[in-house]
Amino acid sequence: MTSDIAVGSERGRTLVTVRRTVNEHGTMTVEVHDSNEHRQVVAFAADLRAVFANLPTGTTVPVEMERLHTRGNCWRVTSIGPTGRGGAGREDPETARLLPNPTRATR
């Protein structure tokens, strides 16, 4: 069982790689680079679901995520992109869509 304090990537930018693209239920699986942990993304802020729906498997992007504590290993993406907390990636969906250079994992 993981405590709130033990989950270090709950706040701030986390580099993730898409492992399973958004499915018909609007969920996807990503892998966290720092820990090789797989997370189930079940919710997205604003129009970010549309951004993630177009990312192919293997795409690596920086995101900000929060854990949905009421549901197992479920997470919500709150922003995408290289900016810090509260930057354009959080508030402006167009900035997220224009994210420069998402890279493919070379694993």
Side-chain angles (χ1 to χ4, degrees):
M1 187 162 153
T2 305
S3 72
D4 293 346
I5 297 169
V7 181
S9 299
E10 284 190 49
R11 299 287 182 212
R13 294 287 167 199
T14 303
L15 192 61
V16 300
T17 299
V18 176
R19 292 296 173 214
R20 290 200 179 119
T21 58
V22 176
N23 65 23
E24 65 274 4
H25 303 290
T27 67
M28 68 185 298
T29 302
V30 297
E31 180 179 353
V32 178
H33 277 237
D34 291 342
S35 62
N36 294 330
E37 164 191 9
H38 284 79
R39 294 182 178 175
Q40 308 309 310
V41 177
V42 300
F44 301 86
D47 329 350
L48 291 181
R49 181 176 295 181
V51 173
F52 278 88
N54 294 317
L55 295 180
T57 300
T59 302
T60 299
V61 295
V63 298
E64 188 168 313
M65 305 172 86
E66 63 185 11
R67 184 177 213 137
L68 301 177
H69 291 284
T70 58
R71 301 179 63 190
N73 182 26
C74 295
W75 296 77
R76 174 185 300 126
V77 171
T78 57
S79 66
I80 183 173
T83 61
R85 290 181 94 86
R90 171 186 287 275
E91 302 299 334
D92 182 7
E94 285 306 310
T95 301
R97 285 189 186 91
L98 299 173
L99 178 69
N101 250 347
T103 59
R104 294 221 182 235
T106 56
R107 294 182 193 218

